[in-house]
Amino acid sequence: MEKIYFGGVDVGASTTKAALIDNSEYIIGSSVKKTTTNLEDLAKKVFDEALNSSKILREEVRYIIATGYGRENVNFANEMKTEIICHSKGSYHYFKDLNSSMAVVDIGGQDNKVIKLDKNGKILNFKMNRKCAAGTGAFLEEIAYKLDVPLENLNDLATKATKDLELGSYCTVFTSTEILENIKAGETKENVIKGAFISVVKRIVEMESLEGVVVMTGGVIAHNPEIGKILEKQLNVKVHIPPNPQIIGALGASLIAKEKFNNQMNQG
Amino acid sequence: MPTKVKITRKEIKATSLFKKIMAEHFLEADSASKDPNQKVAWCTSVGPAELLTAFGFKLYFPENHAAILGSVRTANDYIPIANAAGYSPDICSYLTSDIGAYIKRETPLNKIYNIESMPKPDVLVYNTNQCRDVQEWFSYYAREFNAPLVGVNAPKAIDVLEEHHINDVDDQLRAMIEPLEKISGNRYEPETLSEVVRLSLEASTLWREVLDTAANIPSPLTFFDGSIHMGPIVVMRGLQTAVDYYKILKDEMEERVKNGIAAVDNEKFRLYWDGMPIWGKLRALSEQFARLNACVVASTYCNSWIFDSFDPDNPFYGMAKAYTEIFINRSERVKEEYIAEMVKKFKIDGVIFHDSKTCPSNSNARYGMPARIRDIFGIPTLIISGDLNDLRCYSEEQTKTNIEAFIEQLEEG
């Protein structure tokens, strides 16, 4: 039987991701790059990198869905879908066997989403954070900058915290001021970073009630699994994190691509 | 490559007449302000326009002016000026854009109608039935123009409308007779007021009938069309012009229904819009919905100028009731039931709540209503964060994604 493949490209505000799946929905390749200003070129580069990692040819990819804020810039895609439906499809793919309603929490570079699904994966409702950076990856980037800590070290440092520090405000700028006050008062960087993680979790739980299977996706959880643990503690439920949580939107896009392709084939 | 569907706008034929009568409205107010024998009254959009017209005032509506500032996207040039003058960015952006434009001595009326400035008021008349901000807004101009300010301080957030609510407003309206006689130089004539109220009721009924044509599938008009064509029911209540205009518009909509002409091609989803329009994004949003084959068929906003309780035989009582029972002035329970009724009447697939940053009175997403509508009536809801005029509070990309995702949700069934 001829091998056919499907692709998803997620052009996010911070990173651009691509995923390729085969007909049995197995991920055969993926790629992640920092989002730059030339979105069209970048989307192509990321997609080519995913192709290289999968060792398949471009011609073998039958349908491509673009998603993310730069979805209109993916000029080689067949169709566009929003990141809401793509994240829900990607998350449902991994946790459908739990046969439960689901709350998908995606923490992205510049926005957060909570998507509630029924046990069949159908979207019941969704919410995106309001306009500011509170609780997003951009918030953590600002904190890392203020503390003069490399972004990739945040998680390790947070795990070494000795207490749960309360940062009261949700404005990123006000929080930065609070951090300076804490540092001035002799607080450790580790405790301040954990405080920032707690703040991220607070922004999530105030967006929507999280019921059923709680799934976390996105770059922030991919690099900072400690945030998932804080959410678990807060909700007193297990938080499910799929493999490679950063590409769940791109994976969802490729799953929709497969669905679309098969529907078109069935319609002749 | 994913392609954008090209949208063909279906022009409403009555639009040319609409533009003509709106121009006449502004030009008449402008010439009245320059004529010592004529008087100009500034009125809030759901203020007692009939009473003022009965006294012979030419009317001018600052809210209408502010909506123009929003539509021509100059509001954000003026809001910061009012902010700097001490009017917070968190209060009504109609107020801040309008006052900012006044401080700068600029008006879009100049470019559109060749009118030098807003017509100077001889009196300013408000009703707080819609919000408290209108009182502050009019107070500002009363100080600036050294003009008298009169108004109705309406009972608020009414659950069950009772006689004492109506009688209270009735008394306040009657108390305006004396100052308005003095300012206008005209005596109160009950027959004149009855006739003005009769015309207002007729125009309002025709406006309702225009909006009701959207209950047809497909709908002949959208909320975005309504937001434009509501002009006469806001600024020409009590005048024959409004009656004549809505007869023509109604005929056109009924003709569309008869011929199966849809406002949105291939209408797949029918939506309800609660809250203020986002004036500076009216066209962009209208095109986005059309591209998604979604028609926003009805809205709380356009419906807010339907006044079924006007009564030519009891003009004061009728005005008091009509202006007090309006949606914006009611309890959450009444509002919720009203939206549920609209969902049924217009066969709605989903409700969009516009949470307008500077207009809490017109934002119904803040006390859990979207979740209740969703859970009790089983209908999907979406909250859009934005603003009526202040585009600093609006994220184009986020709104676009929210709307697209909402349609994807509806497509899933």
Side-chain angles (χ1 to χ4, degrees):
Chain A
M1 190 180 150
E2 184 195 13
K3 273 282 201 187
I4 53 172
Y5 304 96
F6 308 96
V9 183
D10 177 2
V11 185
S14 289
T15 55
T16 294
K17 290 80 66 176
L20 290 164
I21 58 167
D22 63 17
N23 212 13
S24 55
E25 301 184 350
Y26 178 77
I27 300 175
I28 54 153
S30 67
S31 169
V32 179
K33 274 187 183 301
K34 190 173 163 16
T35 297
T36 52
T37 49
N38 189 337
L39 300 183
E40 285 175 17
D41 279 1
L42 175 70
K44 196 177 170 307
K45 270 185 204 152
V46 173
F47 189 73
D48 286 346
E49 208 172 273
L51 282 173
N52 289 339
S53 73
S54 64
K55 314 257 184 302
I56 64 164
L57 298 171
R58 168 68 184 85
E59 295 72 44
E60 293 173 304
V61 183
R62 296 305 174 90
Y63 213 88
I64 300 165
I65 296 278
T67 188
Y69 102 100
R71 59 191 175 278
E72 287 176 15
N73 299 84
V74 185
N75 55 19
F76 53 88
N78 299 85
E79 250 186 89
M80 294 179 284
K81 288 285 165 188
T82 67
E83 44 273 44
I84 302 291
I85 198 161
C86 291
H87 276 91
S88 65
K89 294 280 180 200
S91 301
Y92 182 70
H93 172 78
Y94 280 112
F95 301 107
K96 61 183 171 228
D97 292 344
L98 297 176
N99 202 28
S100 163
S101 62
M102 210 176 277
V104 179
V105 176
D106 176 66
I107 310 180
Q110 284 182 17
D111 67 35
N112 294 337
K113 309 164 196 76
V114 175
I115 313 159
K116 291 173 97 167
L117 308 178
D118 70 10
K119 63 178 185 178
N120 301 312
K122 182 175 155 326
I123 297 172
L124 295 174
N125 69 298
F126 65 88
K127 270 188 190 164
M128 288 173 79
N129 66 322
R130 299 195 294 174
K131 292 164 289 288
C132 75
T136 68
F139 167 72
L140 293 178
E141 281 174 21
E142 171 67 18
I143 301 308
Y145 173 75
K146 271 279 178 286
L147 293 174
D148 199 19
V149 167
L151 196 56
E152 56 274 19
N153 292 0
L154 287 183
N155 194 69
D156 276 353
L157 290 166
T159 57
K160 291 176 186 131
T162 53
K163 70 174 179 191
D164 291 353
L165 189 70
E166 282 284 332
L167 297 172
S169 78
Y170 61 66
C171 166
T172 303
V173 176
F174 288 179
T175 306
S176 296
T177 314
E178 264 190 278
I179 284 171
L180 289 177
E181 282 166 13
N182 274 291
I183 295 288
K184 216 163 61 184
E187 198 52 85
T188 65
K189 279 185 181 181
E190 288 81 357
N191 287 346
V192 169
I193 291 166
K194 185 156 188 204
F197 280 14
I198 293 169
S199 168
V200 168
V201 167
K202 278 186 191 164
R203 301 294 80 83
I204 294 296
V205 296
E206 69 200 14
M207 275 174 79
E208 181 64 83
S209 59
L210 303 177
E211 292 138 7
V213 168
V214 176
V215 177
M216 286 190 94
T217 66
V220 168
I221 192 67
H223 298 291
N224 304 285
E226 188 63 16
I227 289 176
K229 288 181 190 157
I230 297 169
L231 183 63
E232 275 186 343
K233 200 172 148 198
Q234 174 104 18
L235 297 174
N236 201 22
V237 295
K238 179 172 169 49
V239 168
H240 298 262
I241 300 172
N244 205 349
Q246 196 165 13
I247 64 153
I248 292 302
L251 168 67
S254 65
L255 291 165
I256 298 172
K258 182 193 159 201
E259 233 174 82
K260 291 271 174 186
F261 179 79
N262 288 340
N263 285 345
Q264 285 183 8
M265 289 297 105
N266 292 339
Q267 283 164 10
Chain B
M1 179 174 183
T3 47
K4 269 195 175 179
V5 183
K6 200 167 180 290
I7 298 303
T8 329
R9 288 168 65 82
K10 293 208 182 101
E11 275 302 323
I12 292 176
K13 290 180 212 144
T15 304
S16 54
L17 177 60
F18 165 82
K19 286 181 179 165
K20 180 174 171 281
I21 62 173
M22 289 302 285
E24 284 164 3
H25 159 77
F26 284 110
L27 292 168
E28 278 176 18
D30 181 52
S31 75
S33 72
K34 293 168 182 159
D35 179 349
N37 298 316
Q38 290 196 72
K39 302 286 180 190
V40 173
W42 287 18
C43 186
T44 53
S45 66
V46 272
E50 294 73 17
L51 193 56
L52 300 169
T53 298
F55 277 106
F57 288 102
K58 289 290 176 201
L59 302 193
Y60 170 80
F61 294 81
E63 284 156 82
N64 177 231
H65 186 254
I68 298 173
L69 291 171
S71 301
V72 300
R73 276 178 245 137
T74 54
N76 280 96
D77 297 340
Y78 302 124
I79 293 168
I81 296 169
N83 296 159
Y87 287 85
S88 161
D90 293 331
I91 62 164
C92 171
S93 63
Y94 266 3
L95 181 161
T96 48
S97 50
D98 190 63
I99 288 181
Y102 170 78
I103 293 172
K104 219 175 166 195
R105 299 293 186 266
E106 288 179 1
T107 170
L109 302 180
N110 186 268
K111 199 172 169 190
I112 307 171
Y113 304 117
N114 200 21
I115 291 172
E116 200 182 330
S117 60
M118 307 164 178
K120 187 177 171 300
D122 294 291
V123 64
L124 299 108
V125 185
Y126 65 85
N127 188 338
T128 60
N129 51 359
Q130 56 190 122
C131 67
R132 192 184 111 59
D133 289 46
V134 291
Q135 188 178 357
E136 299 310 324
W137 186 358
F138 278 39
S139 299
Y140 171 86
Y141 286 119
R143 290 190 296 272
E144 282 294 310
F145 291 106
N146 194 23
L149 175 72
V150 289
V152 173
N153 289 289
K156 302 291 289 173
I158 297 166
D159 191 51
V160 178
L161 185 70
E162 290 173 1
E163 282 302 302
H164 68 88
H165 295 124
I166 303 168
N167 293 337
D168 171 8
V169 177
D170 187 324
D171 288 346
Q172 293 190 58
L173 289 169
R174 284 177 197 274
M176 287 183 186
I177 294 175
E178 197 190 327
L180 293 177
E181 278 185 334
K182 271 189 203 152
I183 299 161
S184 68
N186 294 323
R187 283 191 58 78
Y188 164 61
E189 298 289 350
E191 297 77 22
T192 311
L193 181 61
S194 283
E195 176 57 10
V196 174
V197 168
R198 187 190 67 72
L199 287 169
S200 221
L201 176 62
E202 197 180 345
S204 154
T205 305
L206 285 161
W207 174 236
R208 175 162 46 72
E209 288 167 357
V210 166
L211 296 175
D212 282 354
T213 61
N216 288 283
I217 299 176
S219 169
L221 85 160
T222 70
F223 154 65
F224 305 101
D225 298 325
S227 299
I228 303 295
H229 289 270
M230 64 190 276
I233 197 63
V234 177
V235 304
M236 293 170 214
R237 288 202 299 283
L239 301 180
Q240 185 65 43
T241 324
V243 173
D244 295 343
Y245 178 70
Y246 287 119
K247 276 183 185 161
I248 290 166
L249 185 61
K250 185 186 155 203
D251 285 349
E252 187 176 344
M253 290 305 114
E254 286 177 347
E255 188 67 18
R256 278 190 174 190
V257 171
K258 206 172 85 188
N259 296 324
I261 296 172
V264 165
D265 285 333
N266 193 18
E267 176 192 291
K268 280 189 195 153
F269 302 105
R270 297 167 61 82
L271 306 175
Y272 183 86
W273 181 284
D274 181 77
M276 292 296 293
I278 303 166
W279 288 109
K281 295 291 165 185
L282 223 48
R283 175 177 282 224
L285 286 169
S286 141
E287 290 181 351
Q288 187 189 2
F289 282 109
R291 229 175 265 122
L292 296 165
N293 304 114
C295 184
V296 185
V297 298
S299 67
T300 310
Y301 187 67
C302 290
N303 289 359
S304 296
W305 280 266
I306 296 169
F307 303 103
D308 288 337
S309 294
F310 282 152
D311 181 358
D313 295 329
N314 288 297
F316 280 101
Y317 184 89
M319 282 191 296
K321 184 164 188 276
Y323 286 129
T324 308
E325 70 187 0
I326 54 174
F327 177 94
I328 194 170
N329 200 32
R330 305 307 292 273
S331 67
E332 286 282 296
R333 182 191 65 83
V334 176
K335 288 178 177 178
E336 193 176 303
E337 283 179 2
Y338 179 85
I339 291 176
E341 193 190 315
M342 292 301 113
V343 163
K344 217 165 136 190
K345 178 175 174 178
F346 289 95
K347 302 159 201 92
I348 298 295
D349 299 305
V351 180
I352 294 177
F353 287 86
H354 170 210
D355 189 356
S356 185
K357 175 78 171 77
T358 71
C359 187
S361 301
N362 256 316
S363 297
N364 294 302
R366 298 184 183 186
Y367 299 95
M369 197 187 296
R372 289 197 300 276
I373 294 278
R374 190 180 65 226
D375 296 343
I376 301 171
F377 305 106
I379 185 150
T381 58
L382 172 72
I383 304 168
I384 291 175
S385 296
D387 194 59
L388 58 167
N389 264 15
D390 192 346
L391 294 179
R392 296 176 301 187
C393 306
Y394 179 76
S395 161
E396 182 101 49
E397 194 50 46
Q398 201 178 51
T399 307
K400 209 166 95 184
T401 298
N402 266 297
I403 292 169
E404 267 183 59
F406 191 54
I407 298 300
E408 287 170 353
Q409 181 186 344
L410 296 178
E411 274 170 350
E412 283 195 318

